[in-house]
Amino acid sequence: MPPEPNIGPLVAAARKRHELTRAKAIQALRELDRTGAPVSFDGVARRAGISRSWLYGQPDIRAEIERFRDATRRSPSPPIPAAERSSDASLHARLEAALERNRQLTEENQRLRRQLAHALGDQRASAR
Protein backbone atom coordinates (compact mmCIF):
# COMPACT_ATOMS: atom_id res chain seq x y z
CA MET A 1 0.00 0.00 0.00
CA PRO A 2 1.56 3.35 -1.03
CA PRO A 3 1.98 6.03 1.66
CA GLU A 4 -0.77 8.62 1.90
CA PRO A 5 0.33 11.88 0.24
CA ASN A 6 0.83 14.88 2.47
CA ILE A 7 -1.57 17.43 0.98
CA GLY A 8 -1.25 19.91 3.85
CA PRO A 9 1.26 22.14 2.02
CA LEU A 10 -0.94 22.17 -1.09
CA VAL A 11 -3.97 23.21 0.93
CA ALA A 12 -1.95 25.91 2.70
CA ALA A 13 -0.62 27.22 -0.63
CA ALA A 14 -4.11 27.31 -2.15
CA ARG A 15 -5.46 29.11 0.92
CA LYS A 16 -2.62 31.64 0.74
CA ARG A 17 -3.20 32.20 -2.99
CA HIS A 18 -6.92 32.71 -2.33
CA GLU A 19 -6.26 35.29 0.40
CA LEU A 20 -3.73 37.10 -1.78
CA THR A 21 -6.24 37.26 -4.64
CA ARG A 22 -8.93 38.58 -2.25
CA ALA A 23 -6.53 41.24 -0.99
CA LYS A 24 -5.74 42.31 -4.57
CA ALA A 25 -9.44 42.54 -5.43
CA ILE A 26 -10.30 44.54 -2.32
CA GLN A 27 -7.34 46.86 -2.87
CA ALA A 28 -8.35 47.43 -6.50
CA LEU A 29 -11.94 48.12 -5.46
CA ARG A 30 -10.81 50.65 -2.84
CA GLU A 31 -8.45 52.31 -5.31
CA LEU A 32 -11.15 52.70 -7.94
CA ASP A 33 -13.51 54.16 -5.34
CA ARG A 34 -10.82 56.46 -3.90
CA THR A 35 -9.99 57.92 -7.30
CA GLY A 36 -13.61 58.26 -8.33
CA ALA A 37 -13.17 55.91 -11.30
CA PRO A 38 -16.18 53.86 -12.37
CA VAL A 39 -16.36 50.53 -10.54
CA SER A 40 -17.09 47.46 -12.64
CA PHE A 41 -16.16 43.79 -12.58
CA ASP A 42 -13.91 44.31 -15.58
CA GLY A 43 -12.21 47.34 -14.02
CA VAL A 44 -11.57 45.60 -10.70
CA ALA A 45 -10.32 42.45 -12.45
CA ARG A 46 -7.93 44.42 -14.67
CA ARG A 47 -6.62 46.57 -11.85
CA ALA A 48 -6.07 43.55 -9.57
CA GLY A 49 -4.73 41.28 -12.31
CA ILE A 50 -7.34 38.60 -11.61
CA SER A 51 -10.18 37.03 -13.55
CA ARG A 52 -13.71 38.39 -13.68
CA SER A 53 -15.10 34.89 -13.15
CA TRP A 54 -13.25 34.67 -9.81
CA LEU A 55 -14.86 37.97 -8.75
CA TYR A 56 -18.33 36.69 -9.62
CA GLY A 57 -17.69 33.70 -7.37
CA GLN A 58 -16.99 35.83 -4.27
CA PRO A 59 -20.37 36.88 -2.81
CA ASP A 60 -19.06 39.68 -0.57
CA ILE A 61 -16.77 41.25 -3.18
CA ARG A 62 -19.45 40.81 -5.85
CA ALA A 63 -21.98 42.65 -3.64
CA GLU A 64 -19.54 45.54 -3.08
CA ILE A 65 -18.81 45.90 -6.78
CA GLU A 66 -22.53 45.85 -7.59
CA ARG A 67 -23.22 48.41 -4.86
CA PHE A 68 -20.55 50.81 -6.17
CA ARG A 69 -21.60 50.21 -9.76
CA ASP A 70 -25.27 50.87 -9.00
CA ALA A 71 -24.43 54.02 -7.04
CA THR A 72 -22.39 55.30 -9.98
CA ARG A 73 -25.21 54.61 -12.43
CA ARG A 74 -27.76 56.49 -10.29
CA SER A 75 -25.50 59.50 -9.85
CA PRO A 76 -26.08 62.17 -12.54
CA SER A 77 -22.65 63.71 -11.95
CA PRO A 78 -19.24 62.08 -12.10
CA PRO A 79 -18.35 60.14 -8.94
CA ILE A 80 -16.58 62.09 -6.22
CA PRO A 81 -13.26 60.60 -5.08
CA ALA A 82 -13.41 59.23 -1.55
CA ALA A 83 -10.92 61.81 -0.24
CA GLU A 84 -13.21 64.64 -1.37
CA ARG A 85 -16.45 63.24 0.06
CA SER A 86 -17.94 64.80 3.16
CA SER A 87 -17.77 62.68 6.26
CA ASP A 88 -20.74 62.28 8.54
CA ALA A 89 -18.91 64.32 11.18
CA SER A 90 -18.25 67.22 8.80
CA LEU A 91 -21.85 67.19 7.55
CA HIS A 92 -23.05 67.21 11.16
CA ALA A 93 -20.73 70.13 11.98
CA ARG A 94 -21.97 72.09 8.95
CA LEU A 95 -25.57 71.45 9.95
CA GLU A 96 -24.90 72.61 13.52
CA ALA A 97 -23.20 75.77 12.21
CA ALA A 98 -26.12 76.48 9.87
CA LEU A 99 -28.63 75.99 12.68
CA GLU A 100 -26.67 78.33 14.97
CA ARG A 101 -26.46 80.97 12.22
CA ASN A 102 -30.20 80.61 11.63
CA ARG A 103 -30.84 81.13 15.36
CA GLN A 104 -28.64 84.25 15.40
CA LEU A 105 -30.39 85.73 12.37
CA THR A 106 -33.80 85.04 13.92
CA GLU A 107 -32.76 86.85 17.10
CA GLU A 108 -31.34 89.78 15.12
CA ASN A 109 -34.52 89.98 13.03
CA GLN A 110 -36.65 90.10 16.19
CA ARG A 111 -34.40 92.79 17.72
CA LEU A 112 -34.59 94.93 14.58
CA ARG A 113 -38.39 94.57 14.45
CA ARG A 114 -38.63 95.79 18.04
CA GLN A 115 -36.36 98.74 17.27
CA LEU A 116 -38.43 99.61 14.22
CA ALA A 117 -41.66 99.41 16.23
CA HIS A 118 -40.18 101.78 18.87
CA ALA A 119 -38.90 104.17 16.21
CA LEU A 120 -42.30 104.24 14.46
CA GLY A 121 -44.01 104.76 17.80
CA ASP A 122 -41.66 107.67 18.65
CA GLN A 123 -42.23 109.17 15.18
CA ARG A 124 -45.99 108.90 15.56
CA ALA A 125 -45.85 110.47 19.04
CA SER A 126 -43.75 113.41 17.89
CA ALA A 127 -46.06 114.08 14.90
CA ARG A 128 -49.01 114.84 17.21
Side-chain angles (χ1 to χ4, degrees):
M1 191 179 253
E4 191 172 306
N6 183 4
I7 61 169
L10 291 175
V11 171
R15 193 172 287 135
K16 184 176 180 180
R17 188 174 63 247
H18 176 78
E19 290 304 316
L20 179 61
T21 304
R22 282 186 63 77
K24 286 180 187 179
I26 291 168
Q27 179 63 34
L29 183 58
R30 288 180 182 158
E31 182 68 20
L32 289 170
D33 178 46
R34 187 183 63 75
T35 61
V39 175
S40 66
F41 285 95
D42 189 52
V44 173
R46 268 198 233 140
R47 188 153 211 144
I50 59 178
S51 73
R52 285 190 327 255
S53 62
W54 186 89
L55 288 171
Y56 285 113
Q58 307 303 308
D60 58 332
I61 296 174
R62 180 180 185 160
E64 280 297 295
I65 292 171
E66 289 171 347
R67 185 176 65 81
F68 281 116
R69 183 185 62 191
D70 293 345
T72 303
R73 284 184 182 159
R74 279 184 263 134
S75 176
S77 61
I80 299 170
E84 295 175 18
R85 293 183 200 146
S86 298
S87 68
D88 287 346
S90 69
L91 290 173
H92 184 71
R94 289 177 61 193
L95 176 60
E96 289 295 323
L99 290 172
E100 175 61 23
R101 180 68 178 142
N102 193 4
R103 187 190 60 73
Q104 291 171 352
L105 290 171
T106 299
E107 288 175 1
E108 181 181 4
N109 194 356
Q110 290 171 349
R111 183 180 50 79
L112 290 171
R113 285 177 189 267
R114 283 191 304 270
Q115 286 177 352
L116 179 60
H118 284 291
L120 289 173
D122 291 345
Q123 184 182 22
R124 194 179 290 161
S126 65
R128 290 185 194 176

